Structures are given as structure tokens and as C-alpha cells.
Amino acid sequence: MARSQQMGRGATVVDVAKRAGVSSMTVSRVINGRSGVSAETRAVVEEAIKALAYTPNVAARNLVNSTELRIGIIYSNANAAFMSEFLTGVFEEASSRGARLILLKGEGGRAPAVEAIEELVASGLSGALLAPPLGEAPDVLRVLRDAGCAMAAVGAYQSPGKICVRIDDRAASYQMTRLLLDLGHRQLGFILGNPDQAASAERMAGFYAAIRETGGVEVQVVQGDFTYVSGLAAAEHLLAMPSRPTAIFASNDDMAAAVVSVAHRRHLDVPAELTVAGFDDTTAAHTLWPPLTTVHQPVRELAAEALSLLIAEIAAEKGHSRVPRETILDHRIVERQSTGSHVPYSPS
């Protein structure tokens, strides 16, 4: 007996695909009478459909062939503040465009299972919008490319088959580092973001570009992964050094908030004894004490622009799209009370 029947539910596209030894997209092509499937494979799929008594979702089949915009929002970001802004931008744009949104979330900060993405696409999507870091997740991109699904990604860097909307991470990081240097800091700590995201490398590159312009700077770099927990570990490491940094620049606000927390626990005054800067300008930046100096990344606008471009891509005739592959929106430095000047000690 099939597992789906044992569990008391009807068979799904994924169940049929597993039994037939093909992808969910192949099953979808057979169900909807599309080309690109060999007669032999089609027969195997039809046999699996019959064996599992699979009944196609009539509503979903009608949607595949309708003009309704159905956009899959695929995300795994554990940062609630970031996702709140992201989804607000998406909902506002979708409402004005008459698009229907279907959300698919990965658990524990991981991408959704390949089978879940395949089933989502097979249900009849017009396109998919990816929140970071999924715009650079190989398995997610492969499934969508194989399905010929239009896609746009926020915060990702350009690669074949997708639209990217982001800020200039390198320039933003350079400007923030330049601010710290101009405040007189010459012992800097830098907390890296997730090594699997291109934005992390770009932010590090911007940091070093500013450092190279200034002599006599001592740098300590620690790996993080954009989570608060990783920021705690990085801050403990940096602040336990015999010659600790006078300023720490974290690659996002969650890690910067963790630095402030560790500083408080060590009875260090921020910013009198330690300057802290972040990146993103999420809710954490202006709700912690002291409020955080950070890079403002217009997350809501990034998400809305990505959805707008995705819809334009979907509407374009195949092979005639003029939608830009990469769009860069403006950022800005927001100075708050977590940064202060530093005058190097010089013995008299």
C-alpha cells in the first residue's frame, strides 16, 4: 500500500514522481499534456497515476492554463525583522498587481526540500521570488531552471536564469568602514556573514578596500553566519583579545546586536569604550540600546522591485524580455548612538 494512502491522504504529484522514478515536473507535464516527455516515460507515469489512484487537482490544472498570476515566495531566512520588511514589500506590490502569492518556507534556516519546491512548481506557478539566501542556493535554482520557471532573487548576485535586485554591498561596507576610520579608530574588528552568500564576500571586500587606504590599522576578522548566536561567539572572541578592537563592524544587525550584548555583559560602555556598527537597518538597529549605526538596506523596496520585475518578465513574450538581469537600489549610512570618536593613546 502506498505511504500516502497509509497516512489517510490522497496521493500527490510527489508520490507519483517517486513511484515512476521521475521528477515532479515530468509528472506535471504528463498530467497537463505538455511536450518534452518520451512515450516510454509518459507510459511509466500514467501507470504510476493508475496504481496510486492519483486524482489531479482540477483547480490547479485550470490555474496552469489561466492568466492568473501565481507567484511562489520561497524563503528560509530566520531573521524575523528582515522577513517582515521583505514580505510587507511583496504583499503591497502583489496587491497592486493582482498577483496571488503562495508561500513556501524552509525550516531551521535551510532551503525547503527539493520535493516541496517541485510540488509547488507543478501546482502551476507563474514565477518564483526568492528571499536571501535562497537566491544563491544551488538546489533551489536547479529545480526552478529545470522547470523553466521565471524567477527573481533579492540580495543575490547575478547568475544565469534569474533576475537579481540588491544594493551595492561593497560600496556600503566601504563607506561604513571609512566612517569608523574617520572617527579615529585604528583597531578594528570585522564579523563576516554567511560564507555561502556573495554579499558576505562583497562586504568583506569593501571593508578591506577602506583599510588599505589608511596606514597603521590593526584588523581582526572573525567568521559569523548572519545569526545572533554567531555574533555572540564572534564578539566574545574579539573582546577577549589582549589588544581588543575599539570598533567592531558586523556584517548584519543581528550580529551587531550580539556585540552590544556582550559588551554590556563585560561592562564596556558603548560607544565610549567600544564603537559598534551593523548592516541592514532592521528593527533591531533602532530598538536596542544604544541605537545602532548601520547601513540602511531598503528591504521593502528591494522586494517590491523584484516582484515588479518578475511580473514584467512573466508578461514578456518568450525570448523578447527586456527586463534587466540586475538592478541595484540605493543604500545609505544611518548614524546613531552606537558609534563614537576614538583618540589613540599616546604617552607623554
Side-chain angles (χ1 to χ4, degrees):
M1 183 180 290
R3 175 177 168 79
S4 59
Q5 294 168 321
Q6 290 174 333
M7 296 298 288
R9 63 174 174 83
T12 67
V13 168
V14 172
D15 296 325
V16 174
K18 286 180 177 177
R19 184 179 181 95
V22 298
S23 71
S24 295
M25 286 309 305
T26 298
V27 175
S28 179
R29 290 189 182 100
V30 172
I31 292 170
N32 293 291
R34 293 178 177 172
S35 60
V37 182
S38 69
E40 182 181 356
T41 299
R42 190 178 298 275
V44 171
V45 172
E46 289 172 347
E47 176 59 33
I49 290 172
K50 182 179 179 181
L52 294 175
Y54 170 68
T55 303
N57 184 318
V58 175
R61 290 187 64 180
N62 289 338
L63 284 168
V64 170
N65 299 309
S66 76
T67 57
E68 181 183 28
L69 275 171
R70 299 182 79 240
I71 308 295
I73 310 300
I74 307 177
Y75 66 103
S76 65
N77 197 317
N79 185 319
F82 184 97
M83 284 310 303
S84 175
E85 286 292 294
F86 178 91
L87 291 174
T88 297
V90 168
F91 292 151
E92 289 175 349
E93 185 67 21
S95 176
S96 69
R97 297 302 194 100
R100 180 183 176 189
L101 304 179
I102 304 96
L103 306 185
L104 178 61
K105 180 187 177 185
E107 298 302 323
R110 297 183 297 273
V114 166
E115 292 81 5
I117 300 171
E118 288 179 339
E119 188 164 9
L120 174 66
V121 175
S123 72
L125 282 189
S126 306
L129 178 60
L130 307 175
L134 299 188
E136 294 169 329
D139 286 346
V140 175
L141 297 177
R142 176 181 55 78
V143 171
L144 295 174
R145 284 186 185 122
D146 288 351
C149 184
M151 56 179 154
V154 170
Y157 280 70
Q158 194 173 8
S159 64
K162 72 173 187 281
I163 297 163
C164 297
V165 181
R166 60 177 178 84
I167 65 167
D168 188 335
D169 292 282
R170 185 179 300 210
S173 183
Y174 169 86
Q175 290 165 12
M176 179 61 78
T177 308
R178 190 70 262 164
L179 170 65
L180 300 178
L181 293 169
D182 290 345
L183 287 170
H185 295 280
R186 293 297 180 269
Q187 291 174 281
L188 301 184
F190 184 74
I191 305 178
L192 294 162
N194 188 324
D196 293 331
Q197 291 181 241
S200 298
E202 288 296 301
R203 293 174 192 181
M204 180 176 66
F207 172 77
Y208 275 115
I211 295 297
R212 285 193 295 269
E213 294 179 350
T214 308
V217 181
E218 183 180 330
V219 171
Q220 299 292 340
V221 176
V222 181
Q223 184 67 60
D225 63 9
F226 287 138
T227 64
Y228 183 84
V229 172
S230 74
L232 290 174
E236 290 285 5
H237 179 80
L238 289 168
L239 295 179
M241 292 179 170
S243 180
R244 64 172 175 78
T246 62
I248 296 176
F249 177 18
S251 292
N252 79 339
D253 290 343
D254 276 8
M255 296 192 297
V259 174
V260 173
S261 177
V262 172
H264 290 333
R265 191 161 66 241
R266 288 174 170 267
H267 306 292
L268 294 173
D269 184 281
V270 177
E273 296 176 280
L274 178 70
T275 272
V276 181
F279 201 113
D280 283 341
D281 200 21
T282 59
T283 305
H286 45 86
T287 55
L288 61 81
W289 181 258
L292 193 65
T293 291
T294 188
V295 174
H296 176 76
Q297 180 171 206
V299 177
R300 188 178 302 193
E301 291 82 359
L302 287 166
E305 180 70 8
L307 180 55
S308 175
L309 292 173
L310 177 61
I311 291 172
E313 175 85 351
I314 294 165
E317 292 184 22
K318 191 169 183 179
H320 293 83
S321 173
R322 295 184 179 180
V323 175
R325 297 292 93 187
E326 190 168 65
T327 298
I328 300 174
L329 300 189
D330 292 336
H331 64 272
R332 69 178 188 274
I333 304 296
V334 180
E335 292 189 60
R336 298 192 179 99
Q337 289 94 328
S338 69
T339 48
S341 59
H342 178 76
V343 179
Y345 171 76
S346 59
S348 55

